[in-house]
Amino acid sequence: MYYLIFLLTLLDLLAIPVIRNEDPVPVYKTGDNMAWISKNYNDKDWSETRGNTSDKIFWSRTHVDLRPVENELIPLGLQINSFGAFEVYWDGVLIGRNGQLPKNGNPEIPGTECSYYRIPNHLISPGLHTIAMRSSQSLYPDVQRSIGFTINNYETLLTYPLVTTAYMNLMAGAFLIAAVYYFFLYLNSKRKQKDILIFATICLLFFTLLIMEYLKFHVKLPYSEFFLRLEIIGWLTFTNALLVPWYFIIQFNFRYGKWLMLALLLTLLGLYWFNYGHYDLTARLYSLAMLITAFIVVLNGILQKEKGGFIALAALLASALVNRLVVYDYGLFISFTIIVLSMLYLHSIRTSVIEAEHQNAVLLSSRLQLELLKKNIQPHFLRNTLTSMMDWVEESPKDGARFIQALATEFDIMNEISEQTLIPVTKELELCRQHLSVMGFRKEINYIWEQKGIDETQLIPPAIIHTLLENGITHSEPLSGNTIQFVLHYSLSKEAHQYTFETFAKNRPIMTDRAGGNGFKYIKARLTESYGQNWKLTSGSTENGWMSTIQILKQ
């Protein structure tokens, strides 16, 4: 809706030109002679090029041919786009000043690049009129920038920039809010998703780009800072031309993203180098490079059947069409807004996927809690344990009491850790020792526990070492002397935390694939819950029994 109103306003402003010669050509002469303000002064020998005027005063004269002006356009206004400080004369009558010309040894006070003046009603008539400008351009004497004139209703000339700025401010405010929201979302997120940070940065840069583009309507900028503003706009466009394809690369899992980003960076730097000083052209080429790169990524995403690929492609096509049909100063922002909206849609898809993964993780965690409790309250385990307990109580009440105490302690620890995702490694080791005490009474085997290099500050998923211990008890036969020894090693490297669990015993004949048993499924599920894919589990027989290794990779 905003764009429709804006375009209607634009069409209304440009509907019927007030001057017949729409591109009047000014002529120049260095010097200072007040006779040159006259409407009928003969300027046939003046030059169409200004040349380097250093800090001298120079004049320009431009002849415009007015058509009959309707009453609705009265009063008429004159908009001038020009560098320097100057006085403006319409048919020999002074109608305004911009900045201050050098005088009595005082330096020039620069004027603004764009200024507006009201043409007196009694000087408006169909036919030829002369705009004479007494000027200086001390700060950029070698810059040969032509003078632009627009004649229209005075109020329209003044209010049109305000209307345009109002719509652009609405857009800028929306991008600022989005930038702040997504920065907070990134800072308060545990996962620190790179695409959120990139999207927030894009929104902030685009907000800044809008502000810099229309800063001339907010702040009185001297012409000496005109190119600085364009340089800032260029670098903002440069940065966004890098970040937008990068966002798509992350969203669509583009395999060769690093190489494509390197090629894009080199292309943008080349465009900057070969077109330095041609600010509008350079910005257009930046946008073109951005669109081409984004097209490559999105088309690849469609081939990979990534979600949102066709939406992103439609947005890029619409953006290219807008850039083709709409004047660049407005087309840039409209097309970029379309792209950002498609990025927002892609982010919503990614958020829904993450939410689904979170829900699955919650369900997995609940299932693992039940699995952990079930491991120790299964009827077979309880029946055998209670039977052994009865025998020990009858034969040796003291040992029976120790048996009962060990079983109770194991159940207390299980109850304590069942709802936790990570527990101190000391709690895990205590659980293992209590379990060995229980199983020693049950099986009447001498179980030996040894641990080496344990870092007691570490956290691990609950019952993963305990599960390895259970596997070792179940699948092993004692050595001579009726002993089975378990040794847990901990080591730390640059890449990972490593736990190595060794069972020194005789291996029983393997009837099934031990690596695929329920115990290993539980360990893998717990490791995935806490570390995603940043872990490794290996297990296999050795000359002395069995060895299992858990590596928790550093992120």
Side-chain angles (χ1 to χ4, degrees):
M1 182 63 180
Y2 293 141
Y3 294 126
L4 179 60
I5 296 173
F6 170 71
L7 290 174
L8 290 175
T9 305
L10 179 64
L11 291 173
D12 179 67
L13 180 66
L14 303 177
I16 304 175
V18 176
I19 55 178
R20 293 190 179 97
N21 54 336
E22 295 182 30
D23 296 310
V25 178
V27 290
Y28 302 89
K29 188 169 185 178
T30 303
D32 190 14
N33 188 339
M34 295 305 295
W36 296 342
I37 67 173
S38 174
K39 175 181 180 180
N40 298 318
Y41 180 82
N42 186 358
D43 53 26
K44 298 295 185 183
D45 60 339
W46 286 32
S47 173
E48 292 186 1
T49 58
R50 178 175 60 84
N52 190 328
T53 55
S54 185
D55 58 352
K56 299 176 183 178
I57 291 177
F58 64 93
W59 283 72
S60 66
R61 288 172 57 85
T62 309
H63 303 287
V64 296
D65 186 5
L66 286 187
R67 65 171 177 81
V69 178
E70 296 84 357
N71 291 333
E72 292 79 7
L73 294 178
I74 302 297
L76 277 185
L78 173 64
Q79 174 184 332
I80 299 179
N81 295 89
S82 178
F83 277 5
F86 51 81
E87 300 169 351
V88 186
Y89 298 87
W90 178 274
D91 289 345
V93 177
L94 178 67
I95 61 173
R97 294 181 175 86
N98 184 25
Q100 185 173 319
L101 295 165
K103 185 178 181 181
N104 299 327
N106 294 321
E108 168 195 302
I109 298 177
T112 59
E113 184 270 341
C114 183
S115 53
Y116 305 88
Y117 309 93
R118 178 173 174 173
I119 303 173
N121 291 349
H122 68 277
L123 297 178
I124 300 172
S125 60
L128 288 175
H129 296 268
T130 301
I131 303 171
M133 295 172 58
R134 180 172 177 255
S135 311
S136 67
Q137 194 176 310
S138 304
L139 300 181
Y140 283 138
D142 57 337
V143 174
Q144 305 298 315
R145 195 166 187 269
S146 61
I147 304 173
F149 299 98
T150 302
I151 300 177
N152 209 311
N153 177 264
Y154 185 56
E155 292 182 0
T156 301
L157 289 176
L158 293 178
T159 57
Y160 174 66
L162 300 178
V163 173
T164 304
T165 306
Y167 293 134
M168 293 303 174
N169 284 345
L170 286 174
M171 189 188 303
F175 280 103
L176 178 61
I177 292 171
V180 172
Y181 172 78
Y182 281 99
F183 273 125
F184 283 149
L185 187 64
Y186 175 79
L187 293 174
N188 290 286
S189 172
K190 293 182 179 179
R191 299 182 63 176
K192 302 298 182 187
Q193 294 170 257
K194 190 184 296 183
D195 58 324
I196 293 179
L197 179 61
I198 293 173
F199 184 75
T201 305
I202 289 171
C203 289
L204 181 62
L205 290 175
F206 191 60
F207 161 78
T208 309
L209 183 62
L210 280 164
I211 294 300
M212 290 305 301
E213 180 66 31
Y214 293 93
L215 187 65
K216 57 187 178 183
F217 298 137
H218 294 279
V219 180
K220 190 174 182 180
L221 288 175
Y223 77 91
S224 55
E225 298 179 6
F226 182 80
F227 291 127
L228 174 62
R229 172 178 152 272
L230 292 182
E231 191 75 26
I232 293 173
I233 290 173
W235 280 110
L236 289 170
T237 308
F238 181 102
T239 308
N240 268 337
L242 276 175
L243 292 180
V244 170
W246 191 8
Y247 181 88
F248 285 126
I249 285 171
I250 294 174
Q251 289 290 340
F252 293 117
N253 302 306
F254 189 72
R255 185 179 303 174
Y256 306 104
K258 291 182 180 179
W259 294 107
L260 187 62
M261 287 300 297
L262 178 61
L264 177 60
L265 176 61
L266 294 176
T267 300
L268 295 177
L269 290 173
L271 292 174
Y272 177 80
W273 177 267
F274 290 108
N275 296 285
Y276 182 77
H278 302 281
Y279 297 101
D280 287 347
L281 174 62
T282 304
R284 288 190 184 94
L285 293 175
Y286 288 163
S287 300
L288 179 61
M290 177 191 74
L291 283 174
I292 292 173
T293 308
F295 267 119
I296 293 172
V297 176
V298 170
L299 288 173
N300 182 77
I302 291 174
L303 293 176
Q304 294 178 177
K305 298 182 179 179
E306 300 283 351
K307 290 184 178 180
F310 286 102
I311 295 294
L313 180 62
L316 292 176
L317 290 173
S319 176
L321 186 62
V322 168
N323 265 328
R324 178 69 177 173
L325 299 179
V326 180
V327 62
Y328 181 75
D329 286 349
Y330 307 116
L332 169 66
F333 301 110
I334 297 173
S335 60
F336 196 83
T337 300
I338 295 171
I339 293 175
V340 171
L341 288 175
S342 72
M343 294 166 68
L344 191 60
Y345 175 76
L346 291 177
H347 180 70
S348 68
I349 293 177
R350 192 176 181 87
T351 301
S352 65
V353 171
I354 292 173
E355 180 64 24
E357 290 177 350
H358 174 71
Q359 293 298 329
N360 290 335
V362 171
L363 292 174
L364 173 63
S365 181
S366 299
R367 195 178 79 240
L368 291 174
Q369 292 171 21
L370 294 174
E371 196 70 30
L372 181 58
L373 292 174
K374 189 174 69 175
K375 281 160 59 69
N376 282 274
I377 62 174
Q378 52 183 304
H380 178 73
F381 173 80
L382 285 178
R383 184 179 67 250
N384 291 340
T385 301
L386 292 174
T387 300
S388 298
M389 189 182 298
M390 291 170 60
D391 293 339
W392 276 102
V393 169
E394 290 178 357
E395 295 177 6
S396 176
K398 289 184 178 180
D399 289 333
R402 288 171 48 214
F403 189 179
I404 294 171
Q405 183 62 41
L407 182 62
T409 302
E410 182 178 2
F411 279 151
D412 285 341
I413 296 174
M414 278 291 183
N415 184 58
E416 180 183 346
I417 68 175
S418 62
E419 295 184 0
Q420 300 182 39
T421 303
L422 292 170
I423 63 171
V425 69
T426 53
K427 183 67 67 175
E428 177 77 5
L429 299 182
E430 183 184 357
L431 176 64
C432 292
R433 286 191 292 267
Q434 293 299 329
H435 187 66
L436 281 182
S437 180
V438 171
M439 297 306 294
F441 282 110
R442 261 192 58 188
K443 293 182 176 287
E444 298 186 22
I445 295 175
N446 182 24
Y447 293 111
I448 302 173
W449 175 265
E450 187 177 351
Q451 58 194 49
K452 298 180 180 180
I454 300 299
D455 181 358
E456 295 185 354
T457 64
Q458 294 298 312
L459 300 176
I460 61 173
I464 60 171
I465 305 298
H466 178 272
T467 302
L468 293 176
L469 178 62
E470 284 184 323
N471 286 346
I473 293 172
T474 303
H475 299 283
S476 302
E477 295 179 353
L479 299 170
S480 59
N482 197 35
T483 63
I484 297 179
Q485 184 179 7
F486 302 99
V487 180
L488 177 65
H489 302 262
Y490 170 79
S491 62
L492 176 64
S493 66
K494 293 182 180 180
E495 293 78 23
H497 301 268
Q498 180 169 302
Y499 292 90
T500 303
F501 187 81
E502 291 185 89
T503 302
F504 293 91
K506 296 178 182 178
N507 292 324
R508 289 181 178 174
I510 300 175
M511 304 302 294
T512 59
D513 181 9
R514 185 167 169 179
N518 290 331
F520 283 96
K521 289 180 181 177
Y522 171 82
I523 294 172
K524 292 175 181 178
R526 277 295 190 185
L527 290 171
T528 301
E529 177 190 30
S530 298
Y531 307 111
Q533 300 301 316
N534 298 309
W535 59 269
K536 293 181 181 179
L537 172 63
T538 57
S539 187
S541 61
T542 64
E543 293 181 359
N544 299 318
W546 198 273
M547 178 186 291
S548 297
T549 302
I550 297 174
Q551 287 185 317
I552 301 171
L553 306 178
K554 294 181 179 179
Q555 299 182 24

